[in-house]
Amino acid sequence: MADNGKRKSDHLQGGLAAKKAKKQWQVPKKNLSIPTINPGDAGIWATCDMHKEGLCTVELKNFFNQYADLIYGDAITHGTTVQEQNLDVGDDIEAEINKEVQGMQSSKQEALFVPVKIDVQCVLFFKTREPVEPVSFVQRICETASDDKATKRTRFVKRLTPMTRMGKATEKGLEEIAKAVLGPVFHGGGTSALKFAIRPTIRNHHTMKRDDIIKQVAEKVGKPHTVDLKHYDRLILVDVYRSDPRVEMTELDSRRLPPPGMLTAPVHVQTYPYLQQYISSTSVLGLQDLVQQTMLHPSVEVARVEDRPNHLHPISIIHLSNGSCLTLKAGPSPLALLLRHERCMLDNEALTLQVLGRSSLPVPRLLKYDPTCSRLGSPFLLTTFLPGACYAELQKRMPAFQCAGIERQMRLLNAAIGQYVPSANNSFGLVALAAANRGHRTWKEAFTEMLESVLMDAEDLLINLPYAQLRDALFHAGGALDDVREPSLVVLGLSDPRNILIDRQTNTVTGLLDLGRALWGDWQMGAVEEAAGSKGSLYTIYHAVVAIVKHHYRRQTHDDELDARKSLTTALEQLAPTEIR
């Protein structure tokens, strides 16, 4: 007989109670302050691998505190000052206890390095307080890392950027911060005339324009100081970004330093002064004197100037009165965002043309190279004219067998260029670096620097790439590059259809438009299809990363980022079974 009025057994009640989780109530903490970035703050920016922000924050906090102890010694502790710790013997016990309690309560507020959470992937920020001076502090870290390259001090950190002062990303905010930061440097007592450069970076911000920022900061510097982006005494960095949807910030500091991790020597960076005017708008009379001095014929006059669009370096065809033509290539536009290897392309091309000057290859002959801005407001190359039509404009309308013929000619041209070897030394790297005795002893070192340079370009714009996997692939498979013992001349981008001039009637290659990426290295770097094994995969990785990064820097309609990412994934998978896993 069922008895519905009876109570259930205790062990059944216990089982049900065990299944039902007990809800825990927590009283919210009062006066909980979350660190934020405010105008007037100083600190240090850091970049790290994707999804490693938490680990990197812990690593950097300990890392900074260690260096603070090393640099500042007993002048500070990470919570209280020495004056607070040196208690007088005559104080009573109650006073000593009160001081200790106050020190414990303010330890977190007075920390030397306070991490601030920002809504940007791979980017961290640490707010600093006196006596820490961000620029000299980061410089000391990088100098120590440069002196001892064998020791890896960090695991997740990629780059450190000191920030002198933060302000709102408005014209008024930029004016205030420029006055506060630049005033003591350029207008302090006894300051002599300095050469300066301004390098702005804009991320996720559409209000302030690049040229307006440059103009406003330059006005705050004022006279007697002059602009010289090649041999500057002071480099002014202006980073404008949107760190939070509600607040826009601007950072302005005096220099950018390399990352403290174990990296190769930094790539040589040569910046050019901004164009006073584009070559396309240069008057015919402005070129007349240059042409007459170059041609050594006073009767030759400039008839007209024709522009060739869609090039990083503006190219102009100068038509002369005697029917001949010259080619003028100028420095890049001031609005162009350059990769690191693109900042010395004119130097590189001028030296490469000197190497190939007496060859029968379809390359122009160098007439004049001016790295200064005294003539046309920009560095420029003046060369002989090579006739022909751009292959990129005709490729889609040409039959397959004609395109195959052009590709066969380019392979032969790449092999012919690869026959050239350095005349002075057997160093590897960009032609300009080797000529300045700044090349590398091995091809592995030069290639590592090249790949690291373009990865740093990608990190500057927070481009989504498998950075850790790429560096691991180079570390494990880099031994394949040791087989290259003697450098050969290689022109990267040689087979780019935009770089090739052809004769429409004979379908033969008549000229090349760009030799700025020439280097001393492995000739197979320019013919990746002929490089097998790990070496071929590494070359594919480099070309794919360059294509991806250029897509984000140029935003061109003919980009092939998707194909480049497919090639990158395939190359990493080919290396994974043998070198990485």
Side-chain angles (χ1 to χ4, degrees):
M1 182 175 76
D3 189 0
N4 295 331
K6 290 186 177 181
R7 295 171 55 191
K8 295 182 180 179
S9 62
D10 294 338
H11 72 276
L12 291 176
Q13 287 184 347
L16 294 174
K19 293 181 181 179
K20 185 176 181 181
K22 184 177 180 180
K23 189 172 183 180
Q24 299 292 335
W25 293 93
Q26 294 181 354
V27 178
K29 297 181 180 179
K30 296 181 179 180
N31 300 326
L32 181 62
S33 60
I34 300 177
T36 58
I37 306 177
N38 301 310
D41 286 343
I44 301 172
W45 293 98
T47 58
C48 65
D49 293 330
M50 185 172 291
H51 307 309
K52 301 295 183 182
E53 292 84 354
L55 295 174
C56 185
T57 300
V58 176
E59 178 186 61
L60 266 183
K61 190 171 183 179
N62 297 330
F63 182 73
F64 285 159
N65 287 331
Q66 292 175 5
Y67 264 88
D69 290 336
L70 178 65
I71 296 174
Y72 303 106
D74 297 334
I76 51 95
T77 61
H78 305 300
T80 58
T81 62
V82 175
Q83 294 179 355
E84 293 175 348
Q85 293 180 348
N86 295 337
L87 301 176
D88 296 334
V89 180
D91 292 345
D92 54 13
I93 298 178
E94 184 178 358
E96 293 182 3
I97 295 176
N98 291 334
K99 290 182 179 181
E100 290 182 2
V101 172
Q102 292 177 0
M104 294 173 61
Q105 292 177 348
S106 62
S107 60
K108 293 184 178 180
Q109 298 177 357
E110 297 182 357
L112 288 179
F113 306 96
V114 179
V116 179
K117 185 177 181 180
I118 57 177
D119 191 18
V120 179
Q121 283 187 337
C122 306
V123 179
L124 311 173
F125 180 72
F126 281 81
K127 187 186 299 187
T128 61
R129 68 168 177 86
E130 294 182 353
V132 177
E133 200 284 313
V135 174
S136 60
F137 182 77
V138 174
Q139 184 177 6
R140 176 69 179 275
I141 293 176
C142 295
E143 289 174 351
T144 304
S146 178
D147 295 338
D148 185 11
K149 298 180 181 179
T151 304
K152 186 175 179 65
R153 293 165 177 80
T154 60
R155 182 179 179 184
F156 305 106
V157 183
K158 298 304 177 185
R159 175 175 300 180
L160 299 179
T161 303
M163 183 192 69
T164 304
R165 192 178 180 89
M166 178 75 77
K168 292 185 177 180
T170 61
E171 293 184 1
K172 183 179 179 181
L174 180 60
E175 181 180 0
E176 294 175 352
I177 194 174
K179 183 178 179 181
V181 174
L182 303 180
V185 178
F186 292 96
H187 303 290
T191 303
S192 58
L194 299 174
K195 298 178 182 179
F196 69 95
I198 303 172
R199 190 176 298 169
T201 302
I202 302 177
R203 300 171 182 169
N204 299 334
H205 180 86
H206 306 286
T207 304
M208 303 177 66
K209 303 302 180 183
R210 177 185 175 91
D211 50 350
D212 295 335
I213 294 174
I214 295 173
K215 182 179 179 181
Q216 188 173 356
V217 174
E219 289 177 351
K220 287 300 176 183
V221 175
K223 297 181 179 181
H225 311 291
T226 58
V227 176
D228 189 341
L229 299 187
K230 185 175 180 181
H231 303 291
Y232 48 79
D233 299 316
R234 296 290 186 272
L235 174 61
I236 306 171
L237 294 180
V238 185
D239 288 351
V240 183
Y241 73 103
R242 188 181 185 92
S243 61
D244 187 275
R246 297 164 298 177
V247 182
E248 298 183 21
M249 296 293 180
T250 304
E251 71 177 65
L252 181 66
D253 54 31
S254 59
R255 62 175 68 87
R256 188 185 299 272
L257 296 167
M262 185 179 66
L263 299 178
T264 57
V267 67
H268 171 63
V269 176
Q270 180 177 7
T271 56
Y272 295 118
Y274 295 131
L275 290 169
Q276 301 296 328
Q277 54 187 354
Y278 294 105
I279 297 301
S280 59
S281 62
T282 303
S283 64
V284 175
L285 295 178
L287 296 173
Q288 184 65 49
D289 181 56
L290 172 63
V291 171
Q292 289 182 352
Q293 291 184 4
T294 303
M295 301 293 292
L296 299 178
H297 203 302
S299 62
V300 176
E301 297 181 355
V302 177
R304 61 187 178 91
V305 178
E306 176 187 355
D307 299 328
R308 279 188 170 170
N310 301 326
H311 290 279
L312 176 63
H313 293 76
I315 298 177
S316 300
I317 308 302
I318 304 175
H319 296 265
L320 304 179
S321 57
N322 60 0
S324 61
C325 298
L326 299 176
T327 301
L328 184 69
K329 178 181 288 189
S333 164
L335 302 180
L337 191 59
L338 302 179
L339 281 72
R340 282 166 172 78
H341 70 264
E342 294 174 338
R343 297 170 183 169
C344 59
M345 288 182 65
L346 279 184
D347 274 347
N348 218 46
E349 183 163 0
L351 293 171
T352 305
L353 290 176
Q354 291 179 0
V355 174
L356 302 175
R358 298 182 179 179
S359 68
S360 59
L361 300 175
V363 295
R365 184 167 59 90
L366 180 63
L367 300 178
K368 187 174 183 59
Y369 171 55
D370 186 358
T372 67
C373 298
S374 57
R375 289 265 187 172
L376 302 177
S378 166
F380 67 88
L381 284 171
L382 187 64
T383 65
T384 55
F385 173 72
L386 295 178
C390 183
Y391 178 49
E393 300 175 358
L394 305 176
Q395 184 179 17
K396 295 182 179 180
R397 301 194 299 268
M398 294 174 60
F401 75 93
Q402 291 183 351
C403 294
I406 298 296
E407 294 175 358
R408 182 171 58 254
Q409 294 179 55
M410 295 307 301
R411 288 195 295 268
L412 295 175
L413 183 58
N414 181 70
I417 293 177
Q419 300 299 318
Y420 287 82
V421 296
S423 58
N425 52 50
N426 288 330
S427 59
F428 293 86
L430 293 176
V431 174
L433 291 182
N437 295 324
R438 300 184 61 181
H440 296 273
R441 294 181 294 105
T442 65
W443 171 234
K444 180 180 178 180
E445 293 177 356
F447 182 82
T448 301
E449 181 183 76
M450 292 165 53
L451 181 59
E452 190 63 43
S453 173
V454 71
L455 288 179
M456 291 170 66
D457 291 324
E459 289 173 337
D460 287 344
L461 293 190
L462 304 178
I463 300 174
N464 185 12
L465 285 174
Y467 295 98
Q469 189 177 2
L470 290 171
R471 291 184 168 104
D472 287 342
L474 178 60
F475 177 78
H476 290 90
L481 304 176
D482 292 332
D483 297 337
V484 182
R485 301 298 178 85
E486 295 185 359
S488 301
L489 186 61
V490 187
V491 179
L492 301 183
L494 185 71
S495 300
D496 189 340
R498 293 165 293 177
N499 188 32
I500 303 172
L501 296 176
I502 64 173
D503 187 341
R504 297 183 181 181
Q505 302 298 327
T506 61
N507 292 323
T508 57
V509 177
T510 60
L512 302 173
L513 292 176
D514 186 12
L515 302 175
R517 296 179 62 193
L519 56 91
W520 299 111
D522 184 9
W523 69 273
Q524 291 182 340
M525 184 77 174
V528 181
E529 65 277 359
E530 300 185 21
S534 300
K535 186 167 64 172
S537 299
L538 288 176
Y539 295 164
T540 301
I541 287 174
Y542 175 79
H543 290 298
V545 172
V546 171
I548 294 170
V549 175
K550 276 189 174 181
H551 164 74
H552 289 270
Y553 272 69
R554 299 287 120 79
R555 295 293 182 183
Q556 296 173 336
T557 57
H558 52 264
D559 66 82
D560 52 353
E561 185 196 15
L562 182 59
D563 293 337
R565 288 191 178 274
K566 291 180 180 178
S567 300
L568 177 61
T569 303
T570 302
L572 289 174
E573 290 177 350
Q574 292 174 351
L575 291 177
T578 56
E579 278 84 7
I580 299 178
R581 292 179 182 173

